[in-house]
Amino acid sequence: MRMLSKWVALAGVLGVGTEAAAEGWHGYASLGAGITLDHMSDFHTKGPALHGYLGVESPPGLSVGLLAEVSETWGQQFPVSGDPSRLERAQLDYKAVGIEARLRFFRDKRINPWVGARLSKSWSSTFIPDNAGNLFREKIDTTGMAFRVGVDGWINQYWGLSVATAFQFCDVKFTEESIRECADPLHSVIAGPVLRF
């Protein structure tokens, strides 16, 4: 009987057998790591990414918060124009700070899917070839946006695991014949712990 009472107490701490309810106003904090993938350009870069989010959620499930994201990617190799035997890798790197709005569904369940959109200030660094094949580095300040889809799974009322994927537009730009254009969308996959308070 004593052992059973201990298991019941442990289940209560972990939230086993209870709903992961999220009624009313809540704060959310998450920190995730993952990968950024460049599927859509000729550079095919990929590399690690870190993402942090801190937000406030209203009773209907709409939240707004601050985010920070960092990614460094490397891709296809190109010969250096002055020394064709030497190869350099293309790079598309960025840092972003901004705001993100999320709409969460099934807040009273253990699994909460959500959709989000962000607007951020981005500081980018590119290392790519121009039309003549010469590699050049450029640092760029710009405004970026992303659309995100994710799901949070809750261990108990406060702690869970968040997995999300996003397509990020114009976080990295490049110059081609003096015309500034957006880079192709960068795809990221991020996973990590989430805290609800």
Side-chain angles (χ1 to χ4, degrees), residues 8-50:
V8 170
L10 180 61
V13 171
L14 296 176
V16 176
T18 65
E19 291 292 331
E23 297 177 358
W25 290 80
H26 285 278
Y28 282 86
S30 63
L31 181 63
I35 189 169
T36 298
L37 302 166
D38 168 27
H39 303 293
M40 301 178 187
S41 80
D42 295 332
F43 306 120
H44 303 296
T45 63
K46 59 185 175 182
L50 293 174

Side-chain angles (χ1 to χ4, degrees), residues 81-190:
S81 58
D83 182 4
S85 64
R86 188 173 135 215
L87 299 176
E88 292 280 0
R89 287 194 180 276
Q91 290 177 263
L92 300 175
D93 304 336
Y94 69 89
K95 300 178 181 71
V97 176
I99 58 173
E100 183 166 291
R102 296 179 178 179
L103 181 61
R104 188 180 308 273
F105 305 97
F106 310 119
R107 298 173 74 222
D108 60 338
K109 305 299 182 187
R110 288 199 172 277
I111 304 297
N112 305 155
W114 52 267
V115 294
R118 88 171 193 209
L119 183 65
S120 60
K121 179 69 173 176
S122 296
W123 296 269
S124 307
S125 174
T126 66
F127 187 55
I128 54 176
D130 60 16
N131 288 340
N134 299 312
L135 286 159
F136 68 100
R137 186 175 296 279
E138 185 176 18
K139 295 188 180 296
I140 302 161
D141 269 348
T142 188
T143 300
M145 64 183 303
F147 297 101
R148 195 178 303 275
V149 177
V151 62
D152 294 345
W154 297 97
I155 299 170
N156 58 32
Q157 191 171 352
Y158 304 103
W159 289 99
L161 177 67
S162 183
V163 179
T165 185
F167 279 95
Q168 304 167 74
F169 299 84
C170 295
D171 278 326
V172 178
K173 292 188 177 182
F174 62 91
T175 302
E176 184 176 0
E177 298 176 350
S178 300
I179 300 173
R180 192 168 298 284
E181 299 178 0
C182 290
D184 293 304
L186 297 175
H187 176 211
S188 64
V189 180
I190 303 289

Side-chain angles (χ1 to χ4, degrees), residues 41-87:
S41 80
D42 295 332
F43 306 120
H44 303 296
T45 63
K46 59 185 175 182
L50 293 174
H51 180 93
Y53 175 80
L54 179 64
V56 177
E57 185 173 272
S58 65
L62 180 64
S63 64
V64 177
L66 302 176
L67 69 92
E69 188 163 295
V70 178
S71 181
E72 294 192 7
T73 71
W74 298 268
Q76 183 179 344
Q77 288 186 323
F78 293 89
V80 177
S81 58
D83 182 4
S85 64
R86 188 173 135 215
L87 299 176

